[in-house]
Amino acid sequence: MSELWTEWGDWVVILLRCVFSVAFVMQIVPLLIWGERKGAAYIQDRPGPNRAPIDIPNPLDIPRLLGDVLAARPLVFKPIVSLRAAGLIHTLTDVVKLAFKEDITPDHVEKFYWFIAPVIAMSIALCTFAVVPFGDTFLGHQLKVSDMDGGLLFVLAMTSLGVYGIMLAGWSSNNKFSLLGGLRASAQMVSYELAMGLSAVVVFLSAGSVSLSRIAEVQGQPLSLFGVVEIPALNWNVFSPFGFLAFVLFWVAAFAETNRTPFDLPEGEAELVGGYHTEYSSFRFALFFMAEYANMIVASSVTATLFFGGYNVPLLSPATIREHADLLLGVLGLGAVPAFLTFAVVAWKRQGRPFYSVIPKDDPRQNEPKFFTAVWLGAAGAHGALGVVGFMGGLAALSAWAEMPELGGDLMAVILGITALAVKVLIGCWIMIWVRWTVPRFRYDQLMNLGWKVMLPLALGNVFAAAGWIVLRHELFGPAGGS
Amino acid sequence: MALPKPNKKLTGSESSYLVEVIKGMVITLGHVVKNIFDQDRFRTIEYPDVRKPMTPRYRGAHRLLLRPDGGIKCVACMCCPTVCPARCITIVAGENPNDPAEKFPVSFDIDMLRCIYCGFCVEACPKDAIRMDTKIYEINAYNRQDMVHSKPYMINLMDRLKPEASEAYRADHTTAPAGHTPDEAPVAGGHLG
Ligand code: SF4
Ligand code: SF4
């Protein structure tokens, strides 16, 4: 086992972490599109998407349906349950729709650049995630695609490259609305990049490195409150005064870099039709659309890594997680059971909702609450089983069987690390959605004033103040690490 | 309402934007939380399952009315094509074989793609032969040709809406006074067939 592992393990892990970092972004994208629609709806007192269903056939019908598929007959069946899943299916139908729509190439576009623009937008967004760590180490392997020393510089470089997708789209579309959209995007990018880079400098100073792994690692150390209390694994940059200001500046600049409201001037539909993507249809449009959400995820994950401890779980340092892996699995597994049972009860009670009284009694959608109750009960059962495995020392047994003593602890650390990062990223994305449906778009001059006259001086001052404080502290208290 | 002065200076907290943005976000989050716990606040009509009751004056798809003896009421007087601002009514008039003194429409087509639903045709008709009281607003087709409603289509429009009640319905509606409204209640699970 171990020998085989040493031979192939490296390659497997390299492949897995590449696949993971693309999958991480691409899996959250549909969730975000759903969150955007549902969030917008709930903010505006509407129910939001709730129609597109997946029809599940009666298991007894399946042999007949298989026959119909083979004979290429149309599939006609009465579903036992129609799953609408709170509108999640709409995202799926959107993908199908966009993939099969007619792809129109207008005659007047600059073909080559027009074709590569959406590809640039999407691939740059995915590339940026390569340096974001989603765990410390797994059996000695770095948990990020590339362990480059200039991690954060790479992020900044990539986000500024990302604007090329938008600029090229705007220019090659060869109409004035798109061109204006592209121009706005580049002007906005130049103005906010400075503030973004400068606010990140504070983080380099406190961590003493630009590598995102190192930055995340430093934040896993305990936070000491005036040398009195020590809170484990909570040395997040956002809790230091300079770090907090840097976070606010970085986050505002991230909105501008991802072209999200209130800074979405490049696609200001009121004055620019659709901005840079006016001429795009079908899957090319989908690429721009997904790139926007991928950018949101990347911006959130970089922010989480710089200011909110990245993969670190609050109160549980990686060492603690490794040491008590089995106990943690037990506690978390059994602890999740009541939550899932609550979900099951909520799902069951949905049968009394007004919606179910206006649809016909024999409609397959009537069975939906029962189905989701079953799903949540299943989840509760699975977590309970995991908890029991944890309490019985399942991870230790797994490590012993695989002859790798650190396997169990590392598995737990990786799973918790990814979960922590995902939760932080989702919270960040929700804030972006929330702001979008709250704040109106800035005017162009306000945008430039804010970028050059407010954010840039603040970021510069913050860098000097933080550097001064670090030097002063070094003089006063000697060469202590950390913040 | 007095407009604010264009160059009104922002107060300290307003000019930093951040405080005001957070205030707004608290309000929107309040809506989200309220809506999660009390979904009866939504005023949305679950459209294909529930239909909005249309007002009696609502101008839907046109229908042609019949006389009690089953003949068409229209006498092809050409008032409606004349008054129609969209020029979308095409009538070919012919002599009524049963009553040579009267004309009748051999064909009566309305191009629904051009119709602007102004209701002038209904107003102009001296015979109360055309009405827009069907409340049908789902007027759609897969090609342009099918968007031209023909005489048989418009005669049978109400039957299409309610196939089961067609006989009684027709008897009632060919003699009902103008302004009579078929149904007010929302139709659950209604389909146009
Ligand atoms: S409603 Fe107006 S536009 Fe339509 S057919 Fe009648 S007169 Fe013409
Ligand atoms: S106005 Fe009335 S009677 Fe005259 S042609 Fe039109 S529908 Fe027929």
Side-chain angles (χ1 to χ4, degrees):
Chain A
M1 188 72 200
S2 287
E3 280 161 32
L4 200 67
W5 174 257
T6 40
E7 208 164 304
W8 290 101
D10 290 358
W11 293 102
V12 171
V13 171
I14 289 171
L15 199 67
L16 276 184
R17 62 196 197 193
C18 290
V19 170
F20 173 81
S21 65
V22 173
F24 183 82
V25 177
M26 296 306 281
Q27 291 311 305
I28 297 185
V29 166
L31 207 61
L32 282 191
I33 295 175
W34 172 80
E36 180 103 54
R37 287 184 176 147
K38 215 65 179 174
Y42 274 45
I43 283 173
Q44 298 167 349
D45 292 349
R46 304 181 273 119
N50 65 350
R51 290 246 150 229
I54 285 186
D55 288 348
I56 311 275
N58 193 327
L60 298 177
D61 281 349
I62 286 178
R64 177 178 69 80
L65 290 173
L66 280 180
D68 283 354
V69 170
L70 292 179
R73 279 193 295 268
L75 295 179
V76 182
F77 62 93
K78 174 123 178 61
I80 49 167
V81 54
S82 275
L83 295 182
R84 299 170 302 141
L88 266 173
I89 312 295
H90 280 255
T91 319
L92 208 66
T93 53
D94 269 352
V95 172
V96 175
K97 181 197 82 172
L98 285 171
F100 287 99
K101 265 181 108 161
E102 186 184 358
D103 186 5
I104 297 166
T105 309
D107 275 343
H108 55 74
V109 300
E110 195 68 41
K111 296 255 172 357
F112 177 70
Y113 299 109
W114 194 79
F115 282 138
I116 62 167
V119 180
I120 292 179
M122 189 68 209
S123 46
I124 296 282
L126 287 178
C127 277
T128 319
F129 196 75
V131 290
V132 175
F134 43 87
D136 45 0
T137 53
F138 180 69
L139 301 176
H141 297 277
Q142 276 291 338
L143 282 182
K144 54 184 192 173
V145 175
S146 155
D147 184 24
M148 57 178 83
D149 286 335
L152 191 53
L153 300 181
F154 177 79
V155 171
L156 292 175
M158 278 317 213
T159 45
S160 42
L161 274 184
V163 77
Y164 276 81
I166 294 175
M167 260 164 64
L168 282 178
W171 175 77
S172 63
S173 290
N174 201 3
N175 73 50
K176 49 192 154 200
F177 291 130
S178 300
L179 181 62
L180 275 174
L183 282 177
R184 283 180 177 191
S186 43
Q188 183 174 319
M189 189 66 66
V190 169
S191 329
Y192 280 79
E193 198 142 79
L194 289 169
M196 192 180 207
L198 283 175
S199 52
V201 167
V202 175
V203 179
F204 308 163
L205 288 177
S206 67
S209 165
V210 284
S211 152
L212 286 179
S213 312
R214 174 75 191 137
I215 291 170
E217 202 183 310
V218 167
Q219 295 182 74
Q221 290 164 358
L223 171 74
S224 83
L225 290 177
F226 316 109
V228 188
V229 210
E230 287 218 329
I231 308 174
L234 211 63
N235 188 21
W236 296 359
N237 283 323
V238 70
F239 294 136
S240 70
F242 304 116
F244 182 74
L245 182 56
F247 158 67
V248 172
L249 293 171
F250 191 88
W251 190 232
V252 172
F255 275 84
E257 298 273 305
T258 51
N259 296 322
R260 292 284 299 183
T261 319
F263 304 124
D264 64 340
L265 290 139
E267 47 179 287
E269 63 278 340
E271 64 267 36
L272 293 186
V273 194
Y276 57 90
H277 57 57
T278 307
E279 303 280 7
Y280 287 87
S281 53
S282 178
F283 219 72
R284 291 180 211 288
F285 170 74
L287 277 179
F288 273 123
F289 194 65
M290 287 195 287
E292 179 182 337
Y293 287 92
N295 275 324
M296 275 167 75
I297 295 162
V298 170
S300 297
S301 51
V302 171
T303 312
T305 310
L306 289 185
F307 299 101
F308 291 89
Y311 54 79
N312 286 304
V313 188
L315 308 186
L316 291 173
S317 71
T320 326
I321 294 176
R322 289 203 162 73
E323 201 176 327
H324 304 291
D326 271 320
L327 184 67
L328 270 174
L329 184 63
V331 170
L332 291 179
L334 289 182
V337 171
F340 283 118
L341 288 181
T342 317
F343 284 146
V345 172
V346 171
W348 183 257
K349 294 198 95 167
R350 284 182 68 86
Q351 292 180 104
R353 291 279 318 287
F355 180 84
Y356 294 103
S357 62
V358 300
I359 61 177
K361 281 284 158 290
D362 58 344
D363 195 299
R365 282 173 292 183
Q366 296 280 12
N367 294 333
E368 203 183 32
K370 297 192 193 92
F371 181 89
F372 282 111
T373 313
V375 167
W376 289 122
L377 286 178
H383 272 79
L386 269 183
V388 171
V389 166
F391 275 125
M392 285 165 56
L395 287 176
L398 180 70
S399 316
W401 173 78
E403 296 170 25
M404 282 178 284
E406 72 277 40
L407 178 65
D410 278 2
L411 261 182
M412 197 65 204
V414 167
I415 291 171
L416 282 187
I418 291 173
T419 314
L421 184 65
V423 168
K424 289 168 189 173
V425 166
L426 286 179
I427 292 176
C429 292
W430 163 247
I431 292 176
M432 286 189 157
I433 291 169
W434 181 13
V435 168
R436 172 167 178 187
W437 297 102
T438 303
V439 187
R441 188 175 292 139
F442 270 55
R443 222 172 44 219
Y444 195 68
D445 59 323
Q446 291 172 328
L447 178 90
M448 287 294 152
N449 277 344
L450 187 68
W452 290 105
K453 292 189 186 163
V454 180
M455 301 213 356
L456 186 62
L458 269 181
L460 262 176
N462 195 25
V463 169
F464 286 124
W469 165 241
I470 285 169
V471 172
L472 192 69
R473 196 185 46 186
H474 190 90
E475 294 295 321
L476 292 180
F477 306 114
S483 63
Chain B
M1 197 190 93
L3 290 173
K5 275 206 219 116
N7 288 330
K8 178 173 159 275
K9 275 269 171 275
L10 298 176
T11 61
S13 77
E14 277 170 1
S15 62
S16 79
Y17 297 121
L18 220 53
V19 181
E20 298 298 311
V21 167
I22 289 171
K23 273 191 203 164
M25 285 169 72
V26 169
I27 292 175
T28 47
L29 191 69
H31 278 258
V32 174
V33 172
K34 264 188 262 168
N35 288 331
I36 286 175
F37 288 105
D38 178 15
Q39 302 202 338
D40 295 344
R41 299 175 81 243
F42 298 145
R43 288 287 171 271
T44 307
I45 294 171
E46 293 290 344
Y47 159 58
D49 295 313
V50 185
R51 274 144 207 277
K52 188 179 171 189
M54 306 310 291
T55 65
R57 314 179 340 159
Y58 183 78
R59 296 195 288 267
H62 306 71
R63 69 185 173 113
L64 292 177
L65 281 78
L66 299 181
R67 291 195 302 263
D69 68 2
I72 192 164
K73 272 189 178 179
C74 172
V75 292
C77 70
M78 298 293 170
C79 281
C80 53
T82 311
V83 78
C84 176
R87 293 272 174 273
C88 59
I89 306 179
T90 315
I91 297 174
V92 177
E95 225 162 74
N96 192 333
N98 302 326
D99 182 1
E102 242 182 54
K103 285 202 295 178
F104 88 114
V106 177
S107 77
F108 191 123
D109 294 331
I110 303 185
D111 185 349
M112 302 306 270
L113 287 174
R114 296 187 60 177
C115 174
I116 55 169
Y117 303 91
C118 61
F120 285 2
C121 47
V122 180
E123 300 281 323
C125 182
K127 289 288 187 182
D128 187 23
I130 184 166
R131 282 199 202 156
M132 298 175 77
D133 61 0
T134 53
K135 300 182 183 171
I136 294 174
Y137 42 84
E138 290 140 324
I139 300 160
N140 43 40
Y142 283 106
N143 53 50
R144 281 161 189 256
Q145 205 48 55
D146 289 353
M147 286 299 283
V148 179
H149 286 186
S150 63
K151 184 173 93 172
Y153 181 90
M154 286 188 285
I155 289 174
N156 292 324
L157 200 52
M158 295 310 270
D159 299 354
R160 281 165 184 276
L161 194 64
K162 295 199 151 189
E164 69 283 352
S166 65
E167 275 314 308
Y169 204 74
R170 190 189 300 195
D172 185 32
H173 276 78
T174 42
T175 52
H180 177 88
T181 52
D183 43 84
E184 295 306 300
V187 186
H191 286 287
L192 259 181

